Amino acid sequence: MSAPSDEGALTTIVERALAASPRLGPVRAVCLDGPAGSGKTTAAAGVLEAASACGTRAVVVHLDDLYEGWSGLEGSLWPRLSAQVLEPLRRGLPGRFQRYDWATGAFADWIDVPVPELLVLEGCGSARRECDAWAVVRVWVEAPDELRLARGLARDGVAAREQWLRWMDDERAHFARESSRERADIRLDEFGRMTP
């Protein structure tokens, strides 16, 4: 069972984002990156709540909805995200992306992304170097491998173990290449607490 997120850390993320000038057209973007099962989705929900509490229109885009399955960390992810969400928002227009349905293994319905004041891009690979030109805050969320794997298997079932292990290898290579942890502006542990 995870502890509640540190509200102070989440408020700090929102305050830092709002203090910065928008860099994605009229939108301030926060990238919540880190390995699978580390607590990014929980942190994103907390950032959304903290933004709402201060009257800021915010929206979360989960990369889990954009990966093309278990091999989706690279490949078409970033070109689709850029074309369908980031570029329209940069121009002050709503975005729209096709959600990947993990159960059927195919892209399914379309999801509208309104133009927010604060965009929270959550998922493994969200803070790759391409985001440096437009992200106002890059957040790294981490947790021990054993905990992440246990969380993943609790969610996806033990039959997904081999996919999880391959994904963990893929993300390690991605994060090493991108220096994701080192480039982060803020780092959180698995409970949403700020770390050095």
Side-chain angles (χ1 to χ4, degrees):
M1 190 63 134
S2 63
S5 293
D6 180 349
E7 290 180 20
L10 303 175
T11 300
T12 298
I13 292 167
V14 172
E15 288 172 349
R16 284 186 65 173
L18 295 178
S21 296
R23 296 170 66 186
L24 184 64
V27 179
R28 291 168 178 87
V30 171
C31 297
L32 278 171
D33 204 341
S38 60
K40 297 179 303 301
T41 302
T42 300
V47 169
L48 192 64
E49 186 176 315
S52 178
C54 68
T56 301
R57 287 186 333 273
V59 66
V60 176
V61 172
H62 300 283
L63 292 190
D64 277 356
D65 291 336
L66 286 149
Y67 302 128
E68 196 168 354
W70 287 102
S71 61
L73 182 57
E74 305 298 346
S76 69
L77 168 67
W78 204 256
R80 281 185 295 102
L81 175 67
S82 295
Q84 296 176 353
V85 177
L86 302 177
E87 183 56 26
L89 292 180
R90 185 191 67 74
R91 292 183 285 135
L93 302 171
R96 189 169 193 248
F97 67 88
Q98 196 169 14
R99 183 186 63 79
Y100 186 79
D101 184 328
W102 288 76
T104 63
F107 286 100
D109 52 323
W110 286 85
I111 307 295
D112 293 325
V113 182
V115 180
E117 293 174 74
L118 184 66
L119 169 69
V120 180
L121 187 61
E122 178 273 323
C124 299
S126 64
R128 62 185 63 212
R129 292 181 193 278
E130 287 93 335
C131 85
D132 289 350
W134 49 262
V136 296
V137 180
R138 293 164 302 191
V139 181
W140 173 260
V141 185
E142 61 190 352
D145 285 355
E146 312 79 52
L147 176 60
R148 298 188 310 103
L149 182 59
R151 286 175 172 176
L153 297 180
R155 181 189 72 190
D156 299 332
V158 293
R161 182 179 178 80
E162 289 307 311
Q163 288 98 334
W164 262 87
L165 293 175
R166 276 195 305 275
W167 180 272
M168 291 170 82
D169 286 342
D170 290 348
E171 67 187 9
R172 268 191 285 279
H174 171 87
F175 295 140
R177 184 183 69 247
E178 297 289 332
S179 300
S180 304
R181 185 184 195 283
E182 296 77 12
R183 290 176 29 259
D185 303 302
I186 294 174
R187 294 184 188 103
L188 304 177
D189 69 10
E190 66 269 28
F191 302 116
R193 299 174 299 213
M194 291 180 87
T195 63

